[in-house]
Amino acid sequence: MKNISALLKLIRFNNLLFVALTQYLIQYAVITPILNSAGFQPTLSNINFFLLVLSTVLVAAAGYMINDYFDLKIDSFNKPKRITIGKYFKPHGVILAHQIINGVAVILGFYVAWQAGNFKLGFIHPITAGLLWFYSTGYKKQPLIGNVVVSFLTALVVLLVVLFENQLFHASDLGMMEAAKTIFIVTFFYFLFAFLISMIREVVKDMEDVKGDESNGCRTLPIVLGINKTKWIVYGILLMLMSGVAYIQYIQVSGGDFISTFYLFITLQIPLLAVFYFLIKAQQQKEFSFISSLVKVIMLMGILTMAYFYLLMHTTANSGIA
């Protein structure tokens, strides 16, 4: 049982579930309903979409493994209780497993890309795996670039589903063109949300781990600029994110949708304000750790808005029929 628990910790099983949930919600709460309303079906069958999600999850799992492999010294200082390599798993075994898992993910990615009608999409997986390798070996130790890479890859989880919906990029029918426009707009906002909220969390985690990172030669933002100046960067990203949510709320209010406006205020705006408040006061590692956990909850709440709007859309449609 301890080995199983250690394995789940090594691959960040909870995070992998989050990746899978995000892609399934994008596909079945956003893309499919919009396509169906225009009289079209998704490009990928249910089984092929499952294989796409599986390949994404495998790349992410391999990324977590290789990150822990190269972070042994840093984690022994910052998070000694999280270490599994060397205690439960041999380092060379982790490297081998990383290569095998990535290999399976790449094969699945090319297969699904072929099924989607655009074989070139298969190259996304090996490129992502490469970025995760370079992140673990060097990018994460540099100011900002590591944060940007991880945040982009996090947001790519959203974008990937749209990229594999090949028919959206070759629309000639007016109905498909309108559906594609709607899908692109909606997914852009979720992509932007995922990128910004991930940036906030990554920088906060750097502030949490500043002592261990500094002792191991890292040059993250808090080490280069100091904690207080780094906080101002997070404040700026928070304001951008809150402004984006406020813009969506403005659109909702303009359309008479006060319920959704209130829903976003409760689930996103108030928690983001809480992050703002706690960050102002934070100085200790445990305080930044709490903020990081809070941001993770906000990430989940943001993604779950897809399910809310799906239910709202169907409720409105059924009311219209009645």
Side-chain angles (χ1 to χ4, degrees):
M1 288 297 293
K2 286 186 177 180
N3 285 341
I4 294 176
S5 177
L7 176 61
L8 296 180
K9 187 182 294 185
L10 176 65
I11 64 174
R12 312 293 197 281
F13 184 70
N14 291 340
N15 290 359
L16 299 184
L17 288 178
F18 187 85
V19 169
L21 175 65
T22 300
Q23 292 197 317
Y24 266 97
L25 284 175
I26 283 287
Q27 178 74 354
Y28 292 106
V30 177
I31 294 177
T32 298
I34 293 173
L35 287 176
N36 288 346
S37 66
F40 296 93
Q41 295 296 320
T43 299
L44 297 176
S45 64
N46 290 337
I47 183 64
N48 284 331
F49 182 73
F50 167 77
L51 293 177
L52 174 62
V53 175
L54 178 60
S55 65
T56 307
V57 166
L58 289 176
V59 170
Y64 286 127
M65 293 170 70
I66 200 63
N67 186 63
D68 275 11
Y69 175 84
F70 285 110
D71 266 6
L72 270 175
K73 289 185 178 180
I74 296 176
D75 286 343
S76 65
F77 189 99
N78 289 327
K79 300 164 185 174
K81 294 181 179 180
R82 200 180 73 179
I83 293 177
T84 58
I85 299 176
K87 184 176 181 181
Y88 296 98
F89 309 108
K90 295 181 179 179
H92 69 270
V94 172
I95 287 291
L96 179 61
H98 163 266
Q99 293 172 342
I100 293 173
I101 291 172
N102 267 335
V104 173
V106 168
I107 292 171
L108 288 176
F110 274 111
Y111 171 77
V112 178
W114 172 61
Q115 290 290 316
N118 187 353
F119 192 71
K120 294 178 182 179
L121 290 172
F123 288 101
I124 293 175
H125 286 71
I127 291 173
T128 300
L131 283 173
L132 287 170
W133 174 278
F134 287 115
Y135 167 78
S136 300
T137 56
Y139 290 162
K140 69 176 300 178
K141 298 178 181 180
Q142 302 173 29
L144 198 59
I145 184 170
N147 307 125
V148 172
V149 168
V150 168
S151 299
F152 173 77
L153 293 179
T154 300
L156 184 62
V157 169
V158 173
L159 187 62
L160 193 64
V161 180
V162 181
L163 293 176
F164 273 78
E165 194 58 52
N166 198 36
Q167 60 184 324
L168 298 177
F169 301 92
H170 306 284
S172 56
D173 180 90
L174 182 60
M176 175 56 78
M177 292 173 66
E178 287 297 319
K181 179 182 177 182
T182 303
I183 289 171
F184 289 150
I185 291 173
V186 173
T187 53
F188 170 77
F189 277 109
Y190 279 109
F191 173 86
L192 189 60
F193 170 82
F195 178 80
L196 292 177
I197 197 70
S198 181
M199 276 290 293
I200 292 169
R201 186 162 187 264
E202 288 301 313
V203 177
V204 169
K205 283 168 60 181
D206 283 345
M207 288 190 277
E208 177 188 352
D209 297 338
V210 65
K211 291 183 179 179
D213 290 346
E214 189 172 19
S215 66
N216 283 275
C218 297
R219 300 288 294 166
T220 58
L221 283 176
I223 294 171
V224 174
L225 299 179
I227 293 291
N228 291 332
K229 289 183 179 179
T230 302
K231 282 185 179 183
W232 281 101
I233 294 176
V234 180
Y235 297 151
I237 301 173
L238 274 168
L239 287 174
M240 289 174 61
L241 185 55
M242 293 174 70
S243 298
V245 175
Y247 175 71
I248 295 173
Q249 290 174 299
Y250 169 76
I251 294 175
Q252 291 169 331
V253 169
S254 299
D257 186 1
F258 296 99
I259 296 177
S260 295
T261 304
F262 182 72
Y263 172 79
L264 289 181
F265 180 72
I266 296 297
T267 59
L268 294 181
Q269 293 285 39
I270 289 181
L272 287 170
L273 282 171
V275 171
F276 220 116
Y277 172 78
F278 288 119
L279 185 61
I280 291 173
K281 295 194 166 189
Q283 291 296 331
Q284 303 298 321
Q285 183 182 42
K286 63 180 181 179
E287 295 171 322
F288 291 117
S289 179
F290 170 76
I291 295 170
S292 175
S293 298
L294 178 57
V295 172
K296 196 169 184 179
V297 172
I298 297 172
M299 292 174 72
L300 177 60
M301 296 302 295
I303 295 302
L304 287 178
T305 59
M306 294 184 226
Y308 168 77
F309 287 117
Y310 171 81
L311 293 173
L312 182 68
M313 182 176 63
H314 278 256
T315 301
T316 303
N318 292 335
S319 299
I321 293 174

